[in-house]
Amino acid sequence: MLQLLVVALLFTENLEPGSCSPRPDQKPDQDDWIRRAIHYMESNPETLQELMSKDFDLMEGDIVLSRDRNAVGSRWPTLRIPYVISSDLDGQTGDILAAMEMLSRHTCITFHKRTTETDYLFFRPSRGCASFVGYRGGQQPVFIGPHCIVGNIVHEVLHALGFHHEHTRTDRGQYITILSPNIMPGKERNFQMYDGETFNLPYDTASIMHYGSTFFSSNGLPTIVANKDVNGMGQRVKMTETDVKRVRELYSCDSLKHETETRKTDDNGNSSMADAVTSDLGTNRTNQSSSSSITVVPPVSLLQLTSTSRRCSNSTRPL
């Protein structure tokens, strides 16, 4: 309940002056605020770490700073990435394993439980979903909040592998429009553009790394709209073909094709690290849904929160 009230207060603090003030004859509706808070938290968990935590410096909601924008300079030195999952995440272990399985299914990246490795991913509980971008060395945290589902976790692991948000690309103007009047005050920097490696791949509005339409909305209205009718902006259901190609390009998967194909067994005839996540996932399916049956719901529109229930003005001026 405390967490919900904190988010409700954030909504109150970030309402645009003059546009969403209740009429004098209207009484505050605590249930309405709680409903709005729950709706936002469930729809946009990748924004919650920045909104609710002061433990780390963050930007764009789920990126733990540093600010190096060049993914090429921060790739992991190995294709076989060790991980540890905090025991406090027992209820989400199946989702974490399913996320790693989704990522390794079409790339040369594999994940295995850490033994003695110095550098590894550490999945730990938090208020929202967040990650550093790229290889850091040592114990590298990936933050998993209670509302982080499989697709959100894939998004965060891709950050950890070195990838930034799609909406920050400098060529985005052909594809999306940023509606700055609807952005929470002080969060405008989360919509800035940066130079970075694109591998000459096209802008992908449906990328699993793209913001949803209401990220950091101050009033429930869109902060991002697509310039053309497209499906799936902000989806957290699957990696797109472009998402897969980026991973394969950064980690030179195609040049290692032969090695990838022969990695099913190691020199001693043991099961490869590529099978480790699948094996762990199978163990967890006793108490968790299988990855094939997991439904990852895309962010839900918040339009009704203010335009109807709050009678707020509709701001549509682009950034």
Side-chain angles (χ1 to χ4, degrees):
M1 177 62 71
L2 176 61
Q3 191 179 46
L4 299 181
L5 292 176
V6 168
V7 175
L9 287 171
L10 287 168
F11 277 118
T12 306
E13 292 173 356
N14 288 298
L15 290 177
E16 294 180 11
S19 65
C20 292
S21 300
R23 299 197 311 267
D25 59 339
Q26 287 181 320
K27 295 182 178 180
D29 185 345
Q30 183 180 17
D31 290 340
D32 180 55
W33 281 114
I34 293 176
R35 282 193 297 271
R36 295 175 69 193
I38 293 173
H39 196 52
Y40 185 89
M41 290 172 69
E42 292 177 343
S43 301
N44 304 296
E46 291 158 20
T47 68
L48 298 181
Q49 189 73 7
E50 180 177 338
L51 291 174
M52 300 176 66
S53 175
K54 303 299 183 184
D55 296 337
F56 298 91
D57 291 329
L58 291 104
M59 65 180 297
E60 297 171 24
D62 65 336
I63 292 179
V64 186
L65 299 179
S66 67
R67 290 180 58 90
D68 180 9
R69 305 299 304 187
N70 189 350
V72 174
S74 55
R75 57 172 283 175
W76 281 66
T78 177
L79 302 177
R80 304 178 181 187
I81 299 178
Y83 69 86
V84 171
I85 301 175
S86 168
S87 60
D88 293 326
L89 290 172
D90 283 349
Q92 291 172 278
T93 295
D95 283 353
I96 295 169
L97 295 174
M100 290 187 286
E101 185 184 43
M102 183 190 297
L103 203 152
S104 26
R105 192 176 304 148
H106 301 295
T107 72
C108 56
I109 302 295
T110 63
F111 302 88
H112 64 279
K113 285 184 178 180
R114 176 191 180 234
T115 53
T116 60
E117 296 89 346
T118 301
D119 304 330
Y120 60 98
L121 293 179
F122 176 55
F123 294 91
R124 53 165 288 186
S126 189
R127 293 182 174 89
C129 324
S131 176
F132 288 95
V133 173
Y135 170 74
R136 301 274 300 176
Q139 182 191 92
Q140 180 165 331
V142 179
F143 301 91
I144 306 297
H147 296 286
C148 301
I149 56 176
V150 176
N152 302 123
I153 299 168
V154 172
H155 179 104
E156 300 308 332
V157 175
L158 284 169
H159 277 320
L161 290 178
F163 297 95
H164 284 275
H165 289 130
E166 187 76 352
H167 78 280
T168 63
R169 284 177 51 153
T170 56
D171 59 346
R172 73 182 185 191
Q174 304 172 54
Y175 307 95
I176 61 169
T177 298
I178 307 299
L179 303 180
S180 56
N182 298 333
I183 298 173
M184 293 179 181
K187 302 304 178 184
E188 294 85 358
R189 70 170 186 166
N190 293 339
F191 297 82
Q192 292 179 2
M193 294 182 291
Y194 299 91
D195 291 323
E197 177 61 69
T198 66
F199 302 104
N200 293 317
L201 292 170
Y203 189 93
D204 186 4
T205 310
S207 168
I208 203 167
M209 301 305 290
H210 203 291
Y211 262 21
S213 62
T214 56
F215 275 37
F216 293 104
S217 174
S218 65
N219 52 21
L221 300 175
T223 53
I224 301 179
V225 293
N227 294 344
K228 297 180 180 179
D229 289 335
V230 295
N231 294 322
M233 186 175 76
Q235 63 85 18
R236 296 295 183 263
V237 177
K238 63 181 182 179
M239 292 175 65
T240 65
E241 182 179 350
T242 307
D243 290 328
V244 172
K245 286 181 177 177
R246 285 195 191 97
V247 178
R248 296 184 69 84
E249 287 285 341
L250 179 57
Y251 286 90
S252 304
C253 291
D254 292 334
S255 66
L256 299 170
K257 184 177 181 181
H258 177 71
E259 179 184 338
T260 303
E261 289 174 347
T262 59
R263 200 183 299 154
K264 293 181 180 179
T265 58
D266 62 21
D267 293 337
N268 298 318
N270 297 320
S271 296
S272 72
M273 294 179 181
D275 298 325
V277 168
T278 303
S279 175
D280 291 342
L281 185 61
T283 302
N284 276 273
R285 280 174 182 161
T286 303
N287 298 312
Q288 300 285 341
S289 300
S290 69
S291 61
S292 61
S293 64
I294 292 173
T295 301
V296 184
V297 182
V300 181
S301 171
L302 304 182
L303 293 178
Q304 73 272 25
L305 299 184
T306 51
S307 60
T308 301
S309 63
R310 297 285 296 174
R311 292 185 174 89
C312 298
S313 60
N314 293 351
S315 298
T316 57
R317 180 169 56 83
L319 182 68

